[in-house]
Amino acid sequence: METQRLDLSIGGMHCAGCVGRVEKTLHDLPGVIEVQVNLATETATLHYEPANLSLPHVVKAVQDSGYQVRLEHTIIPIQGMHCAGCVGTIERALRRVSGVTEAQVNLATEQATVTYAASQVELRALYQAITQAGYQTLATPADDALPLEQSLDQAKARELSALQRRLWVSLGLSLPVVVGSMGSMLFAMPAWLAHPLFLFLLATPVQFWVGWPFYQGLWSTLRHRTADMNTLIALGTSAAYGYSVGVTFLPGLFTVGHDLHPHVYYETSVVIITLILLGRLLEARARGQTSTAIRALMQLRPNTARLLRNGIPEDVPVAAVQTGDLVLVRPGEQVPVDGRIVEGHSTLDESMLTGESLPVEKATGAEVFGATLNKTGSFTLLATGVGSQTVLAQIIRLVHEAQGSKAPIQRLADYVASIFVPAVLGMAALTFVLWAWFGPAPAFPFALLNAVAVLIIACPCALGLATPTAIMVGTGRGAALGVLFKNAPSLETAHTLQTIVLDKTGTLTQGKPMVTDIVTQAGFDEAEVLRLAASAERGSEHSLGEAIVEAARARGLVLEESHDFEALPGHGIRTTVGTSPVLVGNTLCMQEAGVGLGNLPQTAERLASAGKTPIYVAIHGRSAGLIAVADTLKPHAKETVATLQAMGLEVLMLTGDHQRTATAIGQRLGITRVLAEVLPEAKAEHIRQLQAEGKRVAMVGDGFNDAPALAQADVGIAIGTGTDVAMQAADITLMSGDVRGIATAMALSRHTMRTIKINLFWAFVYNIVGIPLAAGVFYPAFGVLLNPMLAAVAMALSSVSVVTNSLRLRHMKI
């Protein structure tokens, strides 16, 4: 029995116990002969029988045991794909490469996304698998001189130019062929124009030069024992052309009864080729528009930066900037790289990244991002992210990967496409035989034309483009609105959600306490009470104290140094500001100090019921007033909750706050179900409980402790102003802190899935109705036959209509 060796890099092992568990897991797999796991190198080596075991099964077994197999991902641009049949051929070729766990080919983006074990696969083997399947790659594993997107655009431009040249030649030669073949029915014309030999001379270049790509595709599929769109076109046009050549040079063989001059069908073959080329040109242009989002993002990248060397500014290419460099940015310029302001302040337009139109104030210490626009002041930044590490580069990568991934809904189309072309070839052969045997005279031409019509009208292209074009446009539209989808399954799953769980802090609220109310006793000035309380809390590390200090500074109040400071744990603080003894704290703090509060407790009760924290202030031993602090709601939070509920979604709020405070905030937002007093580590468990109720759940959060819950949810949504950990665990990332992005993501998912379903419906209906019509099924009852030229028109329009329908998403109103 043949055996193979497999070397894998394993993540998550920390001790000998981990080694034992991984070894046992791998030993239990069928076909495994020997296993060695090394903790120091974090590798596993196994010898196995390939007939009984595959790499995907090994990867799944390791992952199910709680460890990770470290896999690599690569994107390979491909040229020469025309239909869903091509997609299936390339995917099968890549999956046959030992060490590949997954291969997804996208017809719309013309790329393959391959997941593989780097220890088992060389990139060159993946490229060879594609070329051996009869297709071309637009780069080699070592070709990194140009960015992938740039090389793709250049290749597509060359392909479009060649297509246009062939189309113009085809049009020029086809027009006189059509006139010569059919013009006599409309007007008088010279006899030589209709002579079969003249038509032959014009049709032959169209058939073999203009139509050469179809023959190249046919030859490639024959060599690899597959079939695709080129097979159907080449066979269909060759049949019409070949019959016409026979009639031209051997007319006696085709004479039936009194028909001494049988008709030639050169016009059928040349018009079919011309129309299909026209359809491909229109389709290519439309598909080019689906990737405008990526191109728009790429064009945001600035070309130069003003580097400070020994304090002297010097213009250099952006690629020359390194982490730690100082860069000067002047008004009206784009920020060249990600960084932190170390000198100066300004207002920046970040709409190109976040979708928010309002400029953002930036001061020393603030983070700025490459490609954003500096509006007013000059500043110096310390570069923290350059090249592929910038936020813009990561957005481009995320959008690129999402557009290249496959949605689960595409599985049916892929399956149909895998058997489509062979089935059509069988139907065309059956059509020819039935018409030849049972058709009216002249039976042979009828049989030929109907078989050609079946071959030509069949369109796996529409099936192949229905899903990926909509995914491309939908994810691109999302990027423009500041909503990033991790992949196509995330986009699809979002439209099935039933429940949205919103983490309170940082999602619905600002995540930073602010002073909301100041109530004073008679004889005390509001500003003075706030000034003394802030002076007392100056230097405080408590978030409530910091909120009081910030409120005082925002009003321009001058704070004093305090002395004789005493912290009262769990109660408050006691200190002296100037000559005034000041006491700041809760009810117990005031009671223990013997301070009478008058009617303030009733006010405090009302404020607490509204989700605010009341803090009493006493000056010179007398009750001076109270200051209410709360984590204020974000703008549009209540509006977003109402929008989500109007979309039929159940909205829950999750928070660590006490039930009373949480309920009050929930009431203000219109949320009736509140999960309160939830510890950070218990958030994921609450999501599991909701899923156990049979609900499809989305979790929205921004913090480090939200990451497990985001990963547990059916769809995790991270607020972009949060932590990188949350964003990595999420399926959808909102680039700004605007909660309206949640509703935007839901609406975008629903619109995109509706578009995909419409595309698939018409792609299936077109073929279900078109193929029987072309075969002449309706002829006995209605006398209806489909001319192969009309079949070519229908086939070309089917693909264009699918792409055009997807493009409507670009103008979707959210």
Side-chain angles (χ1 to χ4, degrees), residues 37 56 155 169 253 295 343 345 367 532 573 601 657 689:
V37 179
V169 171
L253 294 179
R295 284 198 293 273
E343 183 182 340
H345 58 87
E367 288 188 344
L532 290 173
I573 60 169
D657 289 349
Q689 290 173 7

Side-chain angles (χ1 to χ4, degrees), residues 407-409 471 485 487-500 647-649 696-698 714-715 717 732 742-757:
I409 196 173
I471 293 292
F485 291 90
N487 49 38
S490 303
L491 181 63
E492 178 174 341
T493 305
H495 95 286
T496 66
L497 292 170
Q498 299 163 296
T499 301
I500 304 278
M647 295 170 77
L649 294 163
R696 296 187 71 84
V697 182
D714 296 289
V715 174
I717 303 176
I732 302 171
I742 304 168
T744 299
M746 298 301 106
L748 194 56
S749 172
R750 294 185 179 188
H751 280 286
T752 302
M753 293 311 301
R754 189 180 302 122
T755 300
I756 289 174
K757 289 174 182 177

Side-chain angles (χ1 to χ4, degrees), residues 15-35:
C15 63
C18 299
V19 170
R21 279 191 290 275
V22 174
E23 282 186 342
K24 184 180 184 306
T25 297
L26 295 174
H27 261 304
D28 292 342
L29 292 173
V32 173
I33 300 167
E34 182 185 357
V35 177

Side-chain angles (χ1 to χ4, degrees), residues 614-639:
I615 301 170
Y616 293 99
V617 181
I619 302 171
H620 289 290
R622 292 175 55 206
S623 172
L626 65 80
I627 299 172
V629 178
D631 189 358
T632 56
L633 295 177
K634 283 186 176 180
H636 314 296
K638 185 174 182 179
E639 169 194 334

Side-chain angles (χ1 to χ4, degrees), residues 529-551:
V529 169
L530 177 60
R531 187 186 73 81
L532 290 173
S535 297
E537 293 281 6
R538 191 175 182 182
S540 171
E541 294 182 358
H542 195 285
S543 58
L544 299 182
E546 289 176 351
I548 293 173
V549 173
E550 282 198 18

Side-chain angles (χ1 to χ4, degrees), residues 164-184:
Q164 287 175 321
R165 283 197 303 273
R166 289 183 186 275
L167 178 61
W168 283 116
V169 171
S170 188
L171 279 170
L173 294 174
S174 299
L175 189 60
V177 173
V178 172
V179 172
S181 301
M182 307 174 71
S184 60

